[in-house]
């Protein structure tokens, strides 16, 4: 299912892991970078099959389904491990925080780090241009296609702030998140916004992809802005639905967001 080409352009590939994780692989020629390898086996198989050298491992946050394979891959390949400064990781060579930049020389790719706490306290994202006109963000479990991560270690206000940073990225930015939760998210989003035509269109195309066993990712920031309720707490239709669900007036973006998050948790 996963196919890597020996190309001089950067190829972006979501490699399925566990039941619904994706490990993003950036490859160019025979070199590779992986993001959030929760397990080593699918990546080791890929490296072997396509004779790739693993240069770097990028980590967004400390959860086991994102770091479970890091130690084994590090030991097998000697790849440089990048990760959030504020979290305890199995191994991290280069701890990163907001504003830090990393240069992946073999890919001619610079990535900028964003602090996006909420799902975990030290969660980070990596943003950069994988081709001159192709920005991409690796955002772990913070922004999902049609949804967002649960608040395990942060507050609604932190998450609203973190999502606001992602919203400011260029509309065409590829959203490379770490789980295939899209259908479940969109099914719920349709309850929030039953009259959003872009959402209905997205639901149909996502279903078609899943019917074929294909990933619904990457998404784009533009598509998320049109269809993801969590990015639009101030939109009247979204706020009204959240108020109806909560059964009380919600007077701020954070209050609407918190209600949406609770609503989704309960579906
Ligand atoms: Zn997580
Ligand atoms: Fe996860």
């Amino acid at each position: 299912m996963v196919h890597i080409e020996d190309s001089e352009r950067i190829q972006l590939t979501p490699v399925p892991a566990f039941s619904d994780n994706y490990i993003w692989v950036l490859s160019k020629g025979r070199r590779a970078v992986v993001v959030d390898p929760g397990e080593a086996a699918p990546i080791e198989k890929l490296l072997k099959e396509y004779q790739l050298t693993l240069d770097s491992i990028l980590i967004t946050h400390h959860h086991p389904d994102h770091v479970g394979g890091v130690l084994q891959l590090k030991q097998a390949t000697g790849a440089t491990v990048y990760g959030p400064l504020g979290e305890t990781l199995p191994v991290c060579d280069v701890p990163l925080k907001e504003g830090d930049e990393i240069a992946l020389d073999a890919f001619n790719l610079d990535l900028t780090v964003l602090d996006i706490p909420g799902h975990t306290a030290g969660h980070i994202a990596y943003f950069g241009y994988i081709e001159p006109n192709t920005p991409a963000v690796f955002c772990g479990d913070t922004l999902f296609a049609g949804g967002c991560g649960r608040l395990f270690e942060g507050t609604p206000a932190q998450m609203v702030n973190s999502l606001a940073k992602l919203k400011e990225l260029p509309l065409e930015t590829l959203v490379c998140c770490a789980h295939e939760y899209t259908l479940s998210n969109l099914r719920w989003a349709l309850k929030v916004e039953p009259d959003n035509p872009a959402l209905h269109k997205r639901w149909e195309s996502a279903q078609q992809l899943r019917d074929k066993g294909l990933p619904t990712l990457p998404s784009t920031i533009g598509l998320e802005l049109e269809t993801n309720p969590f990015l639009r707490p101030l939109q009247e239709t979204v706020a009204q639905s959240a108020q109806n669900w909560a059964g009380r007036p919600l007077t701020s973006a954070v209050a609407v967001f918190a209600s949406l998050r609770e609503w989704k948790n309960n579906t």
Side-chain angles (χ1 to χ4, degrees):
M1 193 170 94
V2 172
H3 179 74
I4 305 272
E5 284 165 39
D6 184 0
S7 160
E8 279 315 300
R9 292 166 66 91
I10 295 181
Q11 191 183 338
L12 191 56
T13 309
V15 176
F18 305 112
S19 59
D20 55 29
N21 280 73
Y22 289 122
I23 303 168
W24 287 92
V25 175
L26 284 160
S27 56
K28 185 180 179 183
R30 292 284 168 224
R31 312 184 76 118
V33 171
V34 297
V35 185
D36 285 353
E39 49 181 349
I43 298 305
E44 288 185 319
K45 184 168 170 270
L46 198 76
L47 297 178
K48 199 170 163 206
E49 190 176 347
Y50 293 100
Q51 297 176 355
L52 300 169
T53 302
L54 187 64
D55 283 345
S56 313
I57 298 169
L58 311 180
I59 301 171
T60 64
H61 68 292
H62 70 85
H63 284 158
D65 63 312
H66 298 253
V67 302
V70 171
L71 211 50
Q72 197 175 323
L73 288 172
K74 169 78 179 171
Q75 280 162 358
T77 65
T80 306
V81 181
Y82 299 86
L85 174 70
E87 302 204 337
T88 306
L89 304 170
V91 53
C92 184
D93 302 310
V94 187
L96 299 166
K97 59 177 186 326
E98 173 100 6
D100 285 346
E101 299 215 353
I102 61 176
L104 304 173
D105 290 333
F107 294 78
N108 198 15
L109 173 63
D110 295 327
L111 294 172
T112 305
V113 175
L114 302 169
D115 280 338
I116 49 168
H119 177 69
T120 63
H123 199 304
I124 61 172
Y126 301 84
F127 171 80
Y129 283 80
I130 58 171
E131 293 291 336
N133 295 313
T134 311
V137 66
F138 299 94
C139 53
D141 286 356
T142 296
L143 174 62
F144 290 127
C148 76
R150 286 175 186 250
L151 304 179
F152 289 117
E153 299 173 9
T155 63
Q158 275 181 319
M159 193 59 148
V160 166
N161 191 41
S162 295
L163 293 174
K165 287 184 196 178
L166 298 174
K167 276 199 306 200
E168 280 166 22
L169 298 175
L171 294 179
E172 64 275 24
T173 303
L174 300 175
V175 175
C176 304
C177 55
H179 288 273
E180 180 62 66
Y181 290 159
T182 312
L183 288 184
S184 148
N185 287 337
L186 295 179
R187 196 177 292 121
W188 168 78
L190 281 164
K191 291 184 196 168
V192 181
E193 286 193 295
D195 298 323
N196 180 340
L199 189 51
H200 284 278
K201 199 172 147 212
R202 187 178 190 186
W203 167 250
E204 273 164 36
S205 70
Q207 269 187 321
Q208 283 169 10
L209 287 168
R210 295 310 291 154
D211 284 348
K212 292 181 204 151
L214 295 172
T216 59
L217 301 170
S219 165
T220 63
I221 292 291
L223 185 57
E224 294 310 321
L225 283 172
E226 286 179 359
T227 54
N228 189 330
F230 290 109
L231 291 187
R232 291 150 38 254
L234 290 175
Q235 170 124 354
E236 215 178 308
T237 46
V238 173
Q240 190 59 53
S241 278
Q243 288 200 141
N244 292 348
W245 186 83
R248 63 177 193 283
L250 302 169
T251 55
S252 69
V254 171
V256 172
F257 173 86
S259 166
L260 291 172
R261 189 57 267 174
E262 214 185 313
W263 182 0
K264 178 66 172 70
N265 290 350
N266 283 290
T267 55

